[in-house]
Amino acid sequence: MPSPAPLQCLRCGKPDRQPISRPPFPNELGQRLVAEICSECWDEWKQRQMLLINHYGLNVRDPQAREFLVTNLRAFLFAEGDDQAEIDPSREGDVSW
Ligand SMILES: [Zn+2]
């Protein structure tokens, strides 16, 4: 497999970044992530996603949970929307959404 062309990452703004090795979603969002986001920022998102899943006790098979994560992904990587969830330890176990 030829190595993918480097990109300038939309999130961190650094040139000559390594893209994500393959689309993480089988849709337009997945294509966009490969085209615009570097693998390091993607790794940062995956860490944050784990925090969100643990913090909110998300079931990733739940469509509502997936939508919540995609909304946060867009806010985190593309700075879209302003509804990025806060991880507030004082509200542990007291989250309704
Ligand atoms: Zn980046």
Side-chain angles (χ1 to χ4, degrees):
M1 193 171 127
S3 54
L7 55 78
Q8 177 165 2
C9 175
L10 188 78
R11 178 171 181 261
C12 62
K14 293 175 185 163
D16 298 322
R17 296 276 103 184
Q18 187 76 19
I20 305 165
S21 54
R22 65 191 174 85
F25 305 107
N27 57 18
E28 178 263 340
L29 177 61
Q31 299 297 328
R32 189 175 169 201
L33 287 164
V34 168
E36 299 182 351
I37 299 297
C38 75
S39 61
E40 285 161 50
C41 286
W42 179 245
D43 285 344
E44 277 184 46
W45 161 249
K46 282 195 291 190
Q47 297 222 340
R48 179 168 175 86
Q49 179 174 248
M50 283 311 299
L51 283 174
L52 287 169
I53 288 169
N54 291 333
H55 184 72
Y56 290 97
L58 299 181
N59 175 1
V60 294
R61 294 174 195 279
D62 177 354
Q64 194 180 3
R66 294 164 87 103
E67 192 179 320
F68 172 82
L69 288 172
V70 167
T71 297
N72 276 274
L73 182 156
R74 289 182 185 275
F76 188 75
L77 293 176
F78 298 127
E80 288 178 359
D82 55 3
D83 44 2
Q84 186 164 183
E86 293 297 323
I87 296 180
D88 177 357
S90 68
R91 293 180 63 207
E92 196 78 63
D94 182 32
V95 176
S96 59
W97 51 273

